[in-house]
Amino acid sequence: MNRINQKLKEGKKILSIYFTAGYPKINDTVKIIEDLEKNGVDLIEIGLPFSDPLADGPTIQESSTAALKNGMHTELLFEQLKDIRKSVSIPLIIMGYFNPVFQYGVEAFCKRCQEIGIDGLILPDLPLDVYLQDYEATFKKYGLINVFLITPQTSVKRIKEIDAASTGFIYMVSSASTTGATTGFGHEQQAYFERIAALNLKNPQIVGFGINNAETFDQATRTTAGAIIGSAFIKHLNRFGIDSIPDFIKTIR
Amino acid sequence: MSYNADEKGYYGEFGGAFIPEMLYPNTEELRQNYIQIMEEPSFKKEFDHLLQDYVGRPTPLYFAKRLSEKYNTKIYLKREDLCHTGAHKVNNTIGQILMAKKLGKNRIIAETGAGQHGVATATVCALMGIECVVYMGEIDIARQAPNVARMKMLGAEVRPALSGSRTLKDATNEAIRDWINNPVDTHYIIGSVVGPHPYPDMVARFQSVISQEIKSQLKEKEGVENPDYVIACVGGGSNAAGAFYHYLDNPDVGIIAVEAAGKGIDSGESAATSALGKVGIIHGSKTLLMQTPDGQITEPYSISAGLDYPGVGPMHAHLFRSGRGEFISITDAEAMKAGLLLSKLEGIIPAIESSHAFAILEQKTFKPDDIVVINLSGRGDKDLDTYIDYFKL
Ligand SMILES: Cc1ncc(COP(=O)(O)O)c(C=O)c1O
């Protein structure tokens, strides 16, 4: 069974952390992953940096630009991760934009992911219809779960289509925004979380965007399987360095 | 073979909508409605009326006598430079502002490089009394001060794009991010035949008025609807799409698309996408784009800000791949020389973008009885500083 499905079956609220590979320093990737696992993180999204990250706010844009300047690229990331399964057992997802994957070759990319022990991919700009038509078979062949996003504007009809195409979890974007918004969660989000919970989807949901402390983590996970933190973690790394990972996780739970 | 978009927005292998789910509802709303709205008689009537009385259409098809003598062929200029605001860009913004109104949107966003599309958008927003935010790279804001001032006079807010390379591609990213953050009340007026479906097709349809007019004007002047060649410069490709549109399916009409070679195709400072690009995804469209082997989008260069885009619309990628269009790239120096020549021979100072199209006359020999239509996409007022610097005027 894929590690993502296994983790979801444990039933505890999932804390997932996103970070940009190659940031702050080019060779921080493995240490960040190991420290996150040691500190009780349940799932990690490894960001493959892209020059034009459309869905990201300033924090992740800047970390991506810095990572590329540091020399991060697809092959190097795979190199850095090649022995990761000797030390890390929690599920690992690569999150990035479609163009770098497309240039690497979708099949070759998926194959490398399987060899390394990557469990899934999140490619926000690979649309559902293109995935189903061109790539679903390849993802399945290499045992990769593709994670789709939904937002408060996604229609019920489309949510059901996405649910049908998903085999791990659904990434629930908390509000109409790019990553890194910090306005907190109000009635609108709660109503959205409850509305989705009431649909009784086959896939669990994990909330992302706008989670930055224990309060927003609790709010986001009341009706869902877990939450993802990205920008807040990157800001923390930026301010306090990679030795301060335990301090960050303590502020969440 | 078809050269128009299919219902999913593909031109051959190019096009589609590679967008994050956050943008799906907006683009889907547009996709489901755009053709129907464009075909409504009330929409057509208002669009035609504004093109005539506000933009100043039809623009003349002018027989360039002295230029024709010099190159020993029959050269006609389609005078998009005479449009209100000085370029073809306004054909599209008029169409899209009416579209936005039909969709009930009350806020407009746009991206701009040189500021031409920004000015054309700010203009129609002023005309309709709609809030307007234009994203412009921080570097472009510094080098295009008069257009920034124009947009401000027209009541638009100009927001600097501070990310990435701080030019057109980043302004486009910022506009897309704004749309993600304002999915309900806002319409995004893209400035060229780029972006996710249905934008390339919608913008091409609005610009198709150019070739529609060429047909009837040529019939009047030459007794035929079809020229032997149509030549246009390509940044994203909207003026070219408009000039080619009604000729796409007619193989008797040669289509010549002119890209900016900058300092030379192999100089590392170029925007010649068909020569240097590979298939990939940019701004939600699968098309040819300039990128590293690793799939990072690279920064283009051209002396003309309007051609300084690392991709090309999917229609043009398909015209290139299928061989339907001939793609030629022109250096800064060749374009500047052609701009000066047109000024001296015909008394018309072209936008530097358009100068690239005229430089083809030096590269290619046409027959004496060939009818060659060059789309003069814009006037040179905005480029005076560049001309002054370049020629030490
Ligand atoms: C006068 C003029 N021509 C051409 C262009 C290039 O755009 P497109 O390729 O969409 O026509 C621009 C863009 O700013 C322009 O201002």
Side-chain angles (χ1 to χ4, degrees):
Chain A
M1 191 193 268
N2 185 297
R3 291 181 198 87
I4 296 171
N5 299 123
Q6 230 156 10
K7 179 58 80 178
L8 285 160
K9 268 179 61 183
E10 288 173 13
K12 88 181 232 248
K13 298 292 180 189
I14 290 191
L15 170 59
S16 174
I17 297 283
Y18 167 93
F19 75 99
T20 306
Y23 179 85
K25 298 256 168 46
I26 186 77
N27 287 321
D28 288 341
T29 314
V30 171
K31 179 173 162 56
I32 290 175
I33 295 171
E34 288 175 352
D35 282 10
L36 287 171
E37 176 170 50
K38 271 183 216 141
N39 286 280
V41 166
D42 303 298
L43 194 161
I44 299 174
E45 288 163 29
I46 305 162
L48 176 62
F50 181 49
S51 55
D52 294 74
L54 287 180
D56 287 301
T59 303
I60 294 179
Q61 286 170 39
E62 280 157 26
S63 66
S64 301
T65 306
L68 291 172
K69 261 205 195 115
N70 288 343
M72 183 46 73
H73 59 86
T74 311
E75 192 59 51
L76 178 60
L77 177 60
F78 286 143
E79 276 299 305
Q80 291 179 344
L81 294 177
K82 76 178 185 322
D83 292 326
I84 198 72
R85 283 304 172 198
K86 289 187 182 151
S87 58
V88 172
S89 60
I90 59 173
L92 299 175
I93 290 176
I94 291 184
M95 179 161 187
Y97 289 81
F98 186 49
N99 197 48
V101 178
F102 185 69
Q103 298 313 319
Y104 196 88
V106 175
E107 169 126 26
F109 192 96
C110 290
K111 186 161 179 282
R112 281 304 291 276
C113 284
Q114 185 187 45
E115 285 162 9
I116 288 165
I118 297 295
D119 305 291
L121 298 177
I122 306 178
L123 303 168
D125 59 343
L126 172 60
L128 177 65
D129 60 335
V130 177
Y131 168 74
L132 290 177
Q133 190 184 305
D134 295 341
Y135 302 118
E136 185 182 35
T138 309
F139 278 53
K140 294 227 154 116
K141 178 171 164 197
Y142 295 104
L144 292 171
I145 285 176
N146 189 27
V147 178
F148 295 100
L149 277 55
I150 62 169
T151 81
Q153 274 71 41
T154 311
S155 69
V156 171
K157 176 169 173 281
R158 186 154 171 94
I159 291 174
K160 297 214 159 136
E161 286 165 13
I162 286 171
D163 191 37
S166 300
T167 54
F169 64 91
I170 291 175
Y171 191 135
M172 230 170 110
V173 176
S174 65
S175 57
S177 79
T178 42
T179 53
T182 52
T183 41
F185 295 146
H187 290 302
E188 217 177 301
Q189 272 81 30
Q190 288 303 344
Y192 162 56
F193 296 157
E194 281 160 25
R195 178 164 67 80
I196 301 303
L199 293 176
N200 287 316
L201 301 175
K202 120 178 127 75
N203 291 276
Q205 303 98 53
I206 300 186
V207 181
F209 290 36
I211 293 141
N212 53 14
N213 54 25
E215 190 192 349
T216 42
F217 182 81
D218 287 343
Q219 286 173 334
T221 53
R222 231 165 267 162
T223 60
T224 68
I228 303 161
I229 301 179
S231 298
F233 179 65
I234 288 169
K235 275 188 192 149
H236 182 90
L237 286 183
N238 188 21
R239 273 184 75 185
F240 302 109
I242 60 166
D243 291 328
S244 69
I245 289 175
D247 303 336
F248 181 79
I249 303 303
K250 273 184 216 130
T251 67
I252 307 300
R253 71 173 185 198
Chain B
M1 187 184 288
S2 166
Y3 300 103
N4 283 304
D6 67 19
E7 85 272 20
K8 284 187 158 183
Y10 281 90
Y11 299 83
E13 66 173 297
F14 303 107
F18 291 78
I19 45 168
E21 192 62 31
M22 296 81 132
L23 288 175
Y24 183 83
N26 313 25
T27 51
E28 186 60 11
E29 179 186 28
L30 199 56
R31 189 187 70 78
Q32 284 180 1
N33 292 296
Y34 79 110
I35 290 180
Q36 197 189 331
I37 290 177
M38 286 176 80
E39 284 173 356
E40 278 171 22
S42 65
F43 183 94
K44 277 189 177 163
K45 197 170 153 215
E46 203 174 356
F47 182 58
D48 291 347
H49 158 72
L50 285 171
L51 287 187
Q52 180 181 315
D53 291 352
Y54 189 72
V55 174
R57 303 204 73 93
T59 58
L61 183 71
Y62 165 70
F63 177 66
K65 185 159 171 292
R66 296 188 68 203
L67 201 63
S68 297
E69 277 164 11
K70 174 164 167 60
Y71 290 106
N72 195 26
T73 188
K74 284 201 238 173
I75 301 169
Y76 282 89
L77 312 186
K78 182 58 175 164
R79 299 291 308 273
E80 294 301 296
D81 61 316
L82 296 176
C83 289
H84 179 44
T85 71
H88 68 289
K89 296 278 178 191
V90 72
N91 302 327
N92 169 43
T93 61
I94 292 272
Q96 286 206 48
I97 197 79
L98 296 177
M99 181 69 62
K101 276 178 53 174
K102 288 272 183 193
L103 294 170
K105 308 287 174 174
N106 56 26
R107 180 174 175 271
I108 296 295
I109 52 173
E111 86 294 339
T112 197
Q116 284 308 103
H117 174 61
V119 168
T121 304
T123 297
V124 298
C125 287
L127 180 67
M128 299 294 170
I130 295 183
E131 182 188 345
C132 179
V133 175
V134 179
Y135 288 90
M136 189 168 185
E138 196 183 30
I139 291 178
D140 291 334
I141 288 181
R143 62 183 180 187
Q144 306 287 338
N147 272 344
V148 175
R150 275 186 196 110
M151 288 184 265
K152 287 184 179 163
M153 279 189 76
L154 293 161
E157 182 194 340
V158 180
R159 283 194 197 158
L162 305 172
S163 58
S165 50
R166 292 170 292 145
T167 58
L168 176 58
K169 112 182 145 61
D170 310 285
T172 309
N173 292 339
E174 288 304 329
I176 291 173
R177 289 179 187 125
D178 181 309
W179 212 20
I180 288 175
N181 283 281
N182 299 283
V184 180
D185 65 340
T186 298
H187 176 71
Y188 176 22
I189 300 190
I190 289 189
S192 192
V193 287
V194 300
H197 180 59
Y199 278 105
D201 185 47
M202 180 172 70
V203 176
R205 284 170 189 251
F206 286 137
Q207 292 291 1
S208 70
V209 65
I210 299 173
S211 48
Q212 190 184 311
E213 288 174 5
I214 295 173
K215 275 190 141 178
S216 58
Q217 290 168 322
L218 212 51
K219 178 93 190 161
E220 211 170 90
K221 291 172 200 292
E222 292 280 347
V224 294
E225 286 192 337
N226 302 331
D228 295 288
Y229 295 93
V230 186
I231 304 176
C233 67
V234 174
S238 66
N239 87 86
F244 300 161
Y245 197 87
H246 291 285
Y247 297 120
L248 289 171
D249 294 324
N250 185 341
D252 294 341
V253 179
I255 280 173
I256 301 177
V258 187
E259 292 181 316
K263 295 182 179 167
I265 286 184
D266 301 320
S267 68
E269 292 183 74
S270 170
T273 307
S274 68
L276 299 170
K278 274 179 46 192
V279 184
I281 312 293
I282 182 170
H283 298 138
S285 180
K286 188 183 215 180
T287 187
L288 293 170
L289 63 128
M290 291 165 53
Q291 53 185 317
T292 66
D294 214 40
Q296 310 296 341
I297 301 173
T298 51
E299 192 53 26
Y301 163 82
S302 164
I303 193 167
S304 89
L307 303 183
D308 206 352
Y309 184 70
V312 67
M315 174 200 274
H316 299 291
H318 181 51
L319 291 175
F320 174 69
R321 258 304 150 77
S322 64
R324 173 67 185 95
E326 184 177 358
F327 282 66
I328 300 177
S329 51
I330 290 295
T331 63
D332 289 355
E334 292 162 338
M336 295 304 276
K337 194 172 149 217
L340 191 61
L341 185 77
L342 184 69
S343 308
K344 296 234 154 104
L345 282 185
E346 298 289 348
I348 298 171
I349 302 176
I352 299 174
E353 289 81 5
S354 319
S355 299
H356 285 73
F358 285 87
I360 291 302
L361 295 168
E362 286 287 326
Q363 299 241 331
K364 236 184 120 74
T365 310
F366 298 100
K367 293 201 249 14
D369 61 349
D370 275 346
I371 299 173
V372 178
V373 175
I374 302 180
N375 198 36
L376 178 42
S377 58
R379 68 178 87 125
D381 305 26
K382 70 180 177 67
D383 294 320
L384 268 193
D385 281 347
T386 312
Y387 280 126
I388 289 167
D389 270 3
Y390 192 87
F391 292 115
K392 308 277 178 282
L393 299 170

